[in-house]
Amino acid sequence: GAGVSQSPSNKVTEKGKDVELRCDPISGHTALYWYRQSLGQGLEFLIYFQGNSAPDKSGLPSDRFSAERTGGSVSTLTIQRTQQEDSAVYLCASSLELAGDTQYFGPGTRLTVL
Amino acid sequence: AQSVSQHNHHVILSEAASLELGCNYSYGGTVNLFWYVQYPGQHLQLLLKYFSGDPLVKGIKGFEAEFIKSKFSFNLRKPSVQWSDTAEYFCAVNRGMNTGFQKLVFGTGTRLLVSP
């Protein structure tokens, strides 16, 4: 079946604007993860969902970042009042269960904040 | 805090050379270990993983890795690299099942360039 999909693939925005990034996990995967890949910080965990709840939000860098998941499927990562340091590739991954299963990654959304 | 170290940031090899990329992690409990690869312009793909059992794990494309618990290491190896192995390689760790700590902690990555 289809893999993890993310949209948009690229997003250019102006500092101070809000952006929404979308992730469609693999069908049937109950766990969903958001990571960020940037030059200075490497690959960083942001948040994970088990079903619609988020047991671990420890990686969200500030209260400008939020995420939700509805229907146990699609997730949206929202960044409010974007800053230049938010520029990065935002990756979504999904897995069947918890730590015991492989996380499958999507192609990412490249966010550029001007 | 849990951390993962990849000591080789850039590696340049000729085709047919042998490859070993180092990975060490800091957590002392039960861990799950992964190697992911990112080919140019592509997304992260799983190369291989270790959960339990035989510490020598075989992955795709001729890669293997050995889990040495006493050394907190999970080094990646390939006997003979090809030009198509040019990519960035990431080691990652998460804690064992049922602990509530499911996030992957990644190393900083190793960029491998294989010259033909």
Side-chain angles (χ1 to χ4, degrees):
Chain A
V4 177
S5 61
Q6 293 185 245
S7 61
S9 55
N10 281 283
K11 176 72 177 178
V12 181
T13 190
E14 294 179 347
K15 179 181 171 182
K17 301 278 184 154
D18 298 351
V19 295
E20 281 190 354
L21 312 179
R22 177 188 168 105
C23 172
D24 279 279
I26 293 171
S27 178
H29 281 192
T30 57
L32 185 148
Y33 308 79
W34 284 97
Y35 295 87
R36 179 168 73 171
Q37 187 174 22
S38 56
L39 276 177
Q41 303 297 324
L43 272 156
E44 306 171 280
F45 166 80
L46 297 177
I47 185 171
Y48 103 91
F49 289 90
Q50 181 59 24
N52 292 335
S53 63
D56 189 352
K57 306 178 183 179
S58 62
L60 294 178
S62 76
D63 59 7
R64 295 186 296 104
F65 287 72
S66 63
E68 65 175 11
R69 189 179 185 194
T70 55
S73 180
V74 171
S75 176
T76 303
L77 176 69
T78 301
I79 309 173
Q80 295 179 308
R81 305 180 303 282
T82 51
Q83 304 293 314
Q84 288 183 333
E85 61 262 29
D86 299 335
S87 296
V89 177
Y90 289 82
L91 297 171
C92 177
S94 69
S95 70
L96 272 172
E97 293 289 339
L98 300 178
D101 282 294
T102 300
Q103 294 180 27
Y104 296 89
F105 283 80
T109 293
R110 182 175 295 279
L111 175 65
T112 304
V113 182
L114 302 176
Chain B
Q2 194 174 6
S3 68
V4 178
S5 298
Q6 291 181 245
H7 307 295
N8 313 102
H9 298 297
H10 292 88
V11 174
I12 301 174
L13 295 173
S14 299
E15 275 195 315
S18 64
L19 170 72
E20 181 159 3
L21 301 181
C23 173
N24 289 89
Y25 62 94
S26 64
Y27 180 61
T30 301
V31 293
N32 305 307
L33 298 154
F34 306 80
W35 276 97
Y36 281 86
V37 61
Q38 190 168 29
Y39 297 104
Q42 296 187 29
H43 59 278
L44 279 168
Q45 301 171 39
L46 182 72
L47 264 183
L48 48 77
K49 61 184 179 183
Y50 172 81
F51 290 155
S52 63
D54 188 344
L56 185 62
V57 179
K58 304 283 188 184
I60 61 171
K61 305 187 180 186
F63 286 90
E64 65 178 31
E66 185 175 12
F67 170 51
I68 303 180
K69 190 173 181 179
S70 61
K71 295 185 177 179
F72 298 89
S73 71
F74 189 56
N75 292 354
L76 181 71
R77 300 194 292 250
K78 186 170 184 179
S80 175
V81 294
Q82 300 174 313
W83 175 80
S84 58
D85 294 324
T86 293
E88 190 160 15
Y89 293 81
F90 295 91
C91 181
V93 174
N94 66 9
R95 296 190 186 179
M97 295 178 72
N98 303 320
T99 63
F101 293 90
Q102 316 308 332
K103 64 182 178 184
L104 285 172
V105 177
F106 284 88
T108 52
T110 298
R111 288 186 183 272
L112 172 66
L113 175 63
V114 180
S115 57

